[in-house]
Amino acid sequence: MQKTKLGITISGLAAAIYLTCLFGGYIPAIILTGYVLMVEENEWLRRNAVKAIVLMMIFSVFIYGINLIPNVINCFEDMVRAFGVSVEERLITGIFAAVVDVVDILRTIVFLILGLKSLKMRTIIVPSAENIINKIM
C-alpha cells in the first residue's frame, strides 16, 4: 500500500476527504484538498481530492438553484401581502423542499459510496464531475 507523506495510506486519505465533504463542510475539505494538491504526488489521490470538491460544488449549486424558486415565490407573496391580498403557496414550497431533501439524500449516498470505494482505490464515474476535472487538471 502506498502511503502519503503523513504516513497514512493514499486510499485512507481519499476516503477521509470524501467523508469530510459529507460531514465537515467546505473549509476542512478544501484544506485537505489543498494539502493533497500541494504536497502529494499520487495522481489518483489528486484527482479524487478535486473530484470531491467539484461534487460538493455541483450539489450545492443544484440545491441553491432549487431553493431559488420558492424564495422568489415567497418574495412575490410578501409583495402581494403588502397590498392586503392573501396568497397561499405552501404546496409549491413543500414540493421544492421535498426535492431538496431527495437531492440531499442522493448527495449523502454518493459521498458514502465514493468514500467506501476509495478505501479500495476505486471510484465511480460521475460524468459531469469528470468533465470539469479533465478541464481543471
Side-chain angles (χ1 to χ4, degrees):
M1 283 249 151
Q2 291 179 317
K3 297 217 177 210
T4 64
K5 293 180 181 167
L6 291 173
I8 62 174
T9 63
I10 288 173
S11 59
L13 183 55
I17 292 171
Y18 282 120
L19 295 178
T20 299
C21 288
L22 182 59
F23 299 117
Y26 274 102
I27 301 218
I30 288 172
I31 289 170
L32 282 173
T33 299
Y35 163 77
V36 167
L37 292 175
M38 288 190 295
V39 176
E40 299 298 333
E41 296 174 9
N42 184 285
E43 189 64 28
W44 180 86
L45 178 60
R46 294 167 65 91
R47 286 187 66 81
N48 275 279
V50 171
K51 182 184 209 175
I53 298 298
V54 167
L55 281 173
M56 247 180 118
M57 292 172 64
I58 289 172
F59 278 112
S60 291
V61 166
F62 196 63
I63 287 172
Y64 285 121
I66 293 170
N67 279 327
L68 181 64
I69 296 168
N71 289 344
V72 169
I73 292 170
N74 287 336
C75 178
F76 177 73
E77 181 185 62
D78 290 342
M79 288 190 296
V80 170
R81 275 195 194 138
F83 295 107
V85 179
S86 178
V87 178
E88 288 294 323
E89 47 45 72
R90 293 176 197 234
L91 175 66
I92 294 171
T93 56
I95 291 170
F96 283 102
V99 171
V100 167
D101 289 343
V102 168
V103 172
D104 195 42
I105 291 168
L106 179 64
R107 177 184 64 91
T108 301
I109 291 169
V110 167
F111 277 107
L112 283 175
I113 290 171
L114 284 167
L116 291 173
K117 282 201 164 275
S118 66
L119 287 173
K120 296 180 181 179
M121 290 193 73
R122 294 186 178 156
T123 190
I124 58 174
I125 303 298
V126 182
S128 58
E130 298 296 332
N131 291 338
I132 295 171
I133 294 167
N134 289 335
K135 289 178 184 176
I136 293 172
M137 297 189 79

